[in-house]
Amino acid sequence: MKTTAQHRYAVVRYVFLTIAAISFGLGTVGIVLPMLPTVPFYMLTLFCLARGSERFHKKFLESDLYQRTVGAYERNKALSVRAKLTILASVSTIMAIGAYFSRNISTALIVMAIVWIAHVIALTCVVKTKNK
């Protein structure tokens, strides 16, 4: 029979695993939709998995999704010019498609413009450029 402390620990683990699953899903959707930030959601996933399951935590750290989105930046604390241009091109393309389909909705256009400008500022001023 489980003690109260064991039961509480199991509940907390499942809460962390549930939050990790949700943030992983949102982060993965954020790869395609620039309105959702991938890196913060993946960092939340990592935090929750570290508290919920050591095995899932290790698997996520070794996954291709993590390595491609966060791992490269985490290792070098910088992105290559090519990576920055790729990110900016994909964000711009998706934003342009979104702007086309919501061209009559001023609020949506303003939000997309702010998000696009934030990406440009982050990639040019915040994220360092990796030297070869």
Side-chain angles (χ1 to χ4, degrees):
M1 188 173 232
K2 286 188 176 184
T3 66
T4 305
Q6 288 174 326
H7 179 68
R8 193 173 312 144
Y9 175 73
V11 169
V12 169
R13 273 189 70 221
Y14 288 118
V15 167
F16 274 119
L17 289 173
T18 302
I19 294 170
I22 293 168
S23 64
F24 175 76
L26 290 171
T28 303
V29 169
I31 292 172
V32 179
L33 300 175
M35 295 286 209
L36 289 173
T38 300
V39 173
F41 282 120
Y42 276 4
M43 297 308 286
L44 177 61
T45 300
L46 204 59
F47 174 83
C48 292
L49 287 178
R51 278 135 188 89
S53 169
E54 187 177 328
R55 183 178 60 134
F56 287 145
H57 181 251
K58 286 180 182 178
K59 273 189 178 281
F60 183 64
L61 280 173
E62 296 167 356
S63 73
D64 284 343
L65 280 175
Y66 180 81
Q67 291 301 319
R68 278 188 275 140
T69 56
V70 181
Y73 178 75
E74 193 175 68
R75 280 189 303 278
N76 304 319
K77 303 295 185 226
L79 291 174
S80 67
V81 172
R82 182 178 179 171
K84 285 183 174 188
L85 290 174
T86 301
I87 292 168
L88 191 56
S90 65
V91 166
S92 298
T93 301
I94 291 170
M95 289 291 188
I97 293 168
Y100 174 77
F101 286 110
S102 46
R103 60 186 175 268
N104 299 325
I105 306 169
S106 305
T107 307
L109 293 172
I110 291 168
V111 169
M112 282 188 269
I114 291 170
V115 170
W116 186 80
I117 290 168
H119 275 86
V120 171
I121 291 170
L123 289 171
T124 56
C125 302
V126 178
V127 177
K128 295 177 184 174
T129 303
K130 182 170 92 174
N131 297 330
K132 290 189 176 195

